[in-house]
Amino acid sequence: MLISDLPEGKVFIARFQDKIIGYVTFHAPDEYSRWSKHPYVLELGAVEVSPEWRNDKIAHYLLMAAFSHNFVEDHIVVTIVFCWHWDLKNSGLTMMNYQKMMTRLFSAVGLMKMATDDPDITEHPANVLMVRFGKNVPKEAIQRFEKLTFLNRGR
């Protein structure tokens, strides 16, 4: 199913003339992830920019546009920064410098690094969970989310 067909799916595009040069997606978390157990969580999925446009801050402008919409204020937006998705070869960056670039990019729209014991994230030291709590998310929902970040305590 296409993200744009999902009730909670959102796609923002950047285009130059008739070509899409980048996009950002939002969707519900995968049903098998721990984040799917929370009704307020919305995942910031792909952030893709055509290689020839990557030095023009397209990802930054796409994220700024997406996060200017009110829907983000009703959600806990998570993004899972997986190192195996990165284009290290074309970027010329080391893994840790790429991670710093990604966390800076997402920090610009209010996402913050958050510690977790989620095995998908702890699988590699460069992986990062980043989270933004919308202004309209109830305090109880934030507390419930924080409990989800560490499910393996005491095991």
Side-chain angles (χ1 to χ4, degrees), residues 56-73:
D56 295 314
K57 296 189 174 188
I58 302 299
H60 171 80
Y61 294 124
L62 272 167
L63 286 169
M64 296 301 281
F67 278 83
S68 72
H69 288 263
N70 285 333
F71 78 90
V72 296
E73 301 307 338

Side-chain angles (χ1 to χ4, degrees), residues 2 5 7 26 43 49 67 71-72 98 102 125 133-134 142 153-154:
L2 298 172
D5 289 339
F26 293 85
E43 187 171 336
V49 175
F67 278 83
F71 78 90
V72 296
Y98 204 105
M102 294 298 289
F133 299 107
I142 293 171
R153 284 189 178 157

Side-chain angles (χ1 to χ4, degrees), residues 90-103:
N90 288 321
S91 74
L93 297 173
T94 66
M95 189 169 288
M96 292 317 288
N97 283 341
Y98 204 105
Q99 182 214 59
K100 288 176 188 172
M101 176 191 66
M102 294 298 289
T103 55

Side-chain angles (χ1 to χ4, degrees), residues 13-22 50 52-53 56 58:
I13 65 162
R15 65 185 179 101
F16 178 73
Q17 296 171 352
D18 63 344
K19 291 189 179 187
I20 294 174
I21 60 171
S50 297
E52 61 271 18
W53 291 90
D56 295 314
I58 302 299

Side-chain angles (χ1 to χ4, degrees), residues 9 15 23 36 45 74-75 87 97 107 120-121 124 133 145 149:
R15 65 185 179 101
Y23 63 90
S36 69
D74 297 330
H75 294 282
D87 185 6
N97 283 341
S107 294
D120 288 337
I121 297 165
H124 193 282
F133 299 107
F145 177 83
T149 60

Side-chain angles (χ1 to χ4, degrees), residues 54-141:
R54 289 190 183 156
N55 292 324
D56 295 314
K57 296 189 174 188
I58 302 299
H60 171 80
Y61 294 124
L62 272 167
L63 286 169
M64 296 301 281
F67 278 83
S68 72
H69 288 263
N70 285 333
F71 78 90
V72 296
E73 301 307 338
D74 297 330
H75 294 282
I76 299 170
V77 177
V78 301
T79 193
I80 302 163
V81 184
F82 289 128
C83 64
W84 46 84
H85 291 173
W86 302 341
D87 185 6
L88 294 174
K89 179 182 172 198
N90 288 321
S91 74
L93 297 173
T94 66
M95 189 169 288
M96 292 317 288
N97 283 341
Y98 204 105
Q99 182 214 59
K100 288 176 188 172
M101 176 191 66
M102 294 298 289
T103 55
R104 235 185 351 263
L105 174 67
F106 293 130
S107 294
V109 291
L111 287 143
M112 303 171 297
K113 284 184 183 182
M114 184 168 264
T116 183
D117 64 2
D118 184 320
D120 288 337
I121 297 165
T122 60
E123 183 176 344
H124 193 282
N127 292 346
V128 178
L129 170 67
M130 296 190 74
V131 179
R132 181 187 181 277
F133 299 107
K135 294 176 189 169
N136 302 329
V137 176
K139 184 178 177 180
E140 302 78 33

